[in-house]
Amino acid sequence: MPDLIPSKPPCAPVYLDRPQLGLLPTLRFWNQPEVWRHAGWMVGIVAGVWAVLVGVALIGSPLWLLALVGAAGPLLTLGALERHVRRRMRERVALAAGQPVAGSGEID
């Protein structure tokens, strides 16, 4: 049973240490198990619906175009979802620090 003992303690998750480039998702963010636990079902539904829509819309198209458009939808969905989550995390940090959140409607 010594194989079940972890060799080092698990690291705390780090979400905002690397910036996101436009709508492209970052691997460091999506490699966190907690992110997939919360967003995996949504990404799975979007990817499934996107695959059906692309398959129907591009009937008779070359395979490379089908693959390119088919992969772009879920990839951009991951990026948009990551951008939203990052914005919400920055808002939480600002609220915890007692700073006003930009765009929250508060009057200075």
Side-chain angles (χ1 to χ4, degrees):
M1 288 292 210
D3 295 337
L4 298 177
I5 300 171
S7 58
K8 61 180 180 177
C11 299
V14 179
Y15 298 105
L16 302 176
D17 63 337
R18 292 194 181 156
Q20 183 181 9
L21 182 63
L23 276 182
L24 295 176
T26 55
L27 289 177
R28 182 110 179 206
F29 182 85
W30 287 102
N31 281 341
Q32 301 290 334
E34 184 177 344
V35 172
W36 281 106
R37 185 170 54 92
H38 291 295
W41 66 272
M42 186 182 342
V43 173
I45 290 172
V46 168
V49 169
W50 180 258
V52 170
L53 290 175
V54 167
V56 170
L58 297 177
I59 291 177
S61 297
L63 187 59
W64 65 268
L65 181 63
L66 187 65
L68 183 68
V69 174
L75 186 72
L76 293 176
T77 300
L78 286 176
L81 184 61
E82 179 180 346
R83 186 174 276 294
H84 173 72
V85 169
R86 284 174 174 264
R87 182 175 2 127
R88 294 299 304 244
M89 290 174 79
R90 282 191 293 268
E91 288 174 1
R92 281 187 171 186
V93 168
L95 285 174
Q99 300 170 350
V101 177
S104 65
E106 293 182 10
I107 299 174
D108 290 329

